[in-house]
Amino acid sequence: MSFSVVALSALVLYSLCSIAYVYRWRGRTRYASLTQYLRKSWPIFAPLNCVLYMTTRPWARGPVTAAERMPNLALLRDNWQVIRDEALALQAGGAFEAAKAEGSAGSYDLGFRTFFKRGWSKFYLTWYGTTHRSAQRTCPRTVALLNQIPEVKGAMFTVLPAGSELTLHADPLACSLRYHLGLRTPNADACLIEVDGVPMSWRDGQDFIFDETIPIRPATTRATAA
């Protein structure tokens, strides 16, 4: 048997094992069916993600990580009221609704269209080396803070109005961790997401980091969270 055949067979076997591991054994949260897994979790990326899981630092391998593990994020936490004020000014001006309005550039962000239908909205600040001009104009202090933290590759404001919902979802690639900082929230346990069975409620000025390649359980709010 030639080396190329052996190598290809090993790659196929590794890929199948990676997909099975993510579907059946990684974490505690399970998809309701294989069909839901195929639709929600982008199994084509499982082989790459498993390499990334194995090379992640031990303290960051859990579903939720204390934000204090990344000291630079204290700059955002310490200035959360500054960030909040710019976010609320955007909301008052209708920027979030405009960003998801039919025909706008944001409405073509296919990864979020389902969330748009259930009330969620967003406003991009920075995205992998690009700072949006609208953010520079309307949120200069927040952008200045983000520019001081090279670990933050992408940032956005999001709003989850009262009664809205986030369906079961997961990020396709394990290239980064997700950071949440509460700005204006009900400060109640009922306003939460569940990360691999761990309920994480949003609170004003409080933050946490989590791995969003683990399926995130539906979140609901009884009051607006931003």
Side-chain angles (χ1 to χ4, degrees):
M1 186 179 294
S2 67
F3 173 78
S4 59
V5 172
V6 172
L8 180 60
S9 299
L11 181 60
V12 170
L13 179 61
Y14 167 72
S15 298
L16 293 175
C17 288
S18 297
I19 292 170
Y21 164 69
V22 172
Y23 175 57
R24 294 291 299 174
W25 292 288
R26 185 169 191 261
R28 294 177 291 177
T29 301
R30 295 283 173 265
Y31 289 99
S33 65
L34 179 61
T35 299
Q36 187 183 49
Y37 166 65
L38 295 175
R39 185 166 54 88
K40 293 279 190 177
S41 199
W42 297 76
I44 191 174
F45 295 117
L48 170 61
N49 285 347
C50 284
V51 172
L52 295 171
Y53 298 147
M54 289 185 286
T55 55
T56 297
R57 294 180 182 179
W59 58 263
R61 290 180 182 174
V64 178
T65 300
E68 288 76 15
R69 296 294 312 213
M70 297 185 180
N72 283 358
L73 294 177
L75 181 65
L76 300 179
R77 192 183 315 120
D78 293 344
N79 289 277
W80 74 271
Q81 292 170 311
V82 171
I83 299 170
R84 176 203 60 194
D85 290 347
E86 290 192 330
L88 293 179
L90 275 176
Q91 186 181 23
F96 290 95
E97 292 304 313
K100 66 177 182 180
E102 197 66 34
S104 69
S107 70
Y108 295 100
D109 204 339
L110 298 181
F112 297 115
R113 286 186 69 87
T114 299
F115 294 161
F116 293 162
K117 295 176 182 178
R118 296 175 181 266
W120 182 87
S121 56
K122 62 177 174 56
F123 182 89
Y124 280 113
L125 298 168
T126 64
W127 197 251
Y128 290 85
T130 300
T131 300
H132 291 245
R133 292 182 180 179
S134 56
Q136 291 175 323
R137 184 179 67 256
T138 57
C139 315
R141 300 176 72 184
T142 299
V143 169
L145 291 168
L146 292 169
N147 287 339
Q148 297 178 58
I149 311 174
E151 293 87 347
V152 176
K153 304 302 182 184
M156 66 177 75
F157 287 133
T158 69
V159 175
L160 193 64
S164 57
E165 179 183 11
L166 296 180
T167 58
L168 180 75
H169 63 284
D171 271 6
L173 284 170
C175 297
S176 61
L177 296 172
R178 185 63 56 91
Y179 171 74
H180 277 192
L181 172 64
L183 299 178
R184 188 184 69 177
T185 75
N187 292 305
D189 291 341
C191 182
L192 61 89
I193 57 173
E194 187 178 293
V195 185
D196 205 28
V198 180
M200 302 299 299
S201 59
W202 293 292
R203 309 271 173 167
D204 293 359
Q206 295 185 17
D207 53 2
F208 57 89
I209 299 169
F210 61 98
D211 178 354
E212 207 179 37
T213 62
I214 294 175
I216 308 300
R217 288 288 184 189
T220 59
T221 57
R222 296 178 183 173
T224 300

